[in-house]
Amino acid sequence: MRLSTAILSVLIFSLLNACSTAPTSHGEVKGASASSREMGQSDTNRMATLAMRDNLESLYLLMDKLYRRNPAEWKKSGATREEVVKRVREAVEKRQTWADLQGKHDIAAMSLALSPDFKADRVAAFIYATADMIITAHGGKIEFFLIDGLDAQYLYNAARNIEIAVWMLTNRRNTAGQPLLLSDEINATERNLSFEREFGKIVGRLDLLAEFITEKYRRAGISYVQNLLGGSFLQFLPVR
């Protein structure tokens, strides 16, 4: 009996040890490389720059995922998928117009890209228009320095625009009665909500930055009062 108990204990210990050594890594946080340009950035500028970078990367990821679910869209351009993706990135980051959007920008471009009768590449138009709207909400800039200011309400509005766009993609139909673009899917055998999660990341970053901008000015007033009080009441007294 004692032998059986000892063997059982050894087996349990081995199993627990195997579980503890199983790979559990899910990646690690990575910071950007230091740059001399950061000397001209406040903490707020840096946070806004990183948030913008991540939001654009999320849109490019969504573009790739949308093209995989809607391959007929990129084929409308007569180019390869990789070429279209590259063109969209360049147009966004160089602040160029997108021909299929008829010179429209930000919310006007989003409205056109999500209209039921839009015939051109809807994925490229939608991603370009959404990126343009976000950049417009940031004062038309992608990178931010000490001379730049941000309007918290515009950032908040941009987050709501993303939510509206996601609702349109889910519920609006084209002239043939089909979804504007295939994205998330829930059925008896599959549950794919990766599009919603990625859009949610963009909304979260925009909302956090909007709140942070608002908090910054409130905290500046509090810090000013604290400094006044500190000057009068919170100084150490001489002891010799």
Side-chain angles (χ1 to χ4, degrees):
M1 183 69 177
R2 291 180 179 177
L3 180 59
S4 298
T5 302
I7 293 173
L8 181 61
S9 298
V10 170
L11 288 174
I12 292 174
F13 176 79
S14 299
L15 288 171
L16 290 174
N17 187 58
C19 291
S20 64
T21 57
T24 57
S25 175
H26 295 284
E28 60 183 22
V29 63
K30 295 180 180 180
S33 302
S35 168
S36 59
R37 298 175 67 84
E38 293 182 41
M39 297 300 293
Q41 294 179 321
S42 65
D43 290 346
T44 302
N45 297 148
R46 190 61 185 159
M47 179 179 177
T49 298
L50 293 176
M52 174 62 76
R53 179 201 67 185
D54 290 346
N55 282 336
L56 292 182
E57 287 301 322
S58 286
L59 286 175
Y60 300 147
L61 174 60
L62 285 163
M63 177 167 53
D64 181 70
K65 292 168 66 65
L66 285 169
Y67 273 143
R68 292 180 186 278
R69 292 221 65 195
N70 304 270
E73 295 300 318
W74 63 262
K75 293 178 181 179
K76 294 176 181 178
S77 66
T80 66
R81 181 169 60 88
E82 291 75 14
E83 289 172 339
V84 178
V85 169
K86 182 180 179 181
R87 290 176 189 173
V88 173
R89 291 183 70 118
E90 289 181 351
V92 168
E93 295 173 15
K94 294 181 180 179
R95 307 294 287 136
Q96 300 169 345
T97 58
W98 192 252
D100 292 335
L101 291 170
Q102 304 168 13
K104 298 182 185 298
H105 286 278
D106 57 84
I107 57 175
M110 290 182 73
S111 294
L112 179 58
L114 293 174
S115 62
D117 57 351
F118 187 77
K119 301 301 183 184
D121 181 345
R122 192 186 298 275
V123 172
F126 171 64
I127 294 299
Y128 170 87
T130 304
D132 189 70
M133 181 275 297
I134 291 175
I135 295 171
T136 299
H138 287 74
K141 296 184 178 181
I142 295 177
E143 194 173 9
F144 307 92
F145 298 93
L146 292 171
I147 61 173
D148 298 321
L150 292 170
D151 189 304
Q153 188 62 49
Y154 288 153
L155 299 175
Y156 176 88
N157 292 349
R160 305 291 75 77
N161 288 340
I162 297 294
E163 292 174 338
I164 293 169
V166 172
W167 185 91
M168 288 181 175
L169 282 179
T170 304
N171 295 278
R172 186 173 283 184
R173 296 291 185 267
N174 61 23
T175 53
Q178 302 168 329
L180 297 183
L181 291 171
L182 296 176
S183 53
D184 288 329
E185 184 173 7
I186 301 177
N187 54 46
T189 60
E190 185 177 9
R191 184 178 178 85
N192 177 13
L193 297 176
S194 59
F195 292 88
E196 181 178 322
R197 285 196 297 270
E198 202 62 39
F199 279 120
K201 291 179 184 179
I202 299 174
V203 171
R205 294 186 196 108
L206 289 168
D207 276 337
L208 178 59
L209 184 58
E211 188 171 355
F212 183 79
I213 296 297
T214 302
E215 183 84 358
K216 182 185 72 170
Y217 295 116
R218 188 177 69 84
R219 289 301 306 173
I222 293 174
S223 297
Y224 177 74
V225 174
Q226 289 175 336
N227 289 335
L228 288 178
L229 292 175
S232 303
F233 305 110
L234 301 180
Q235 292 187 5
F236 291 113
L237 300 176
V239 295
R240 63 176 178 179

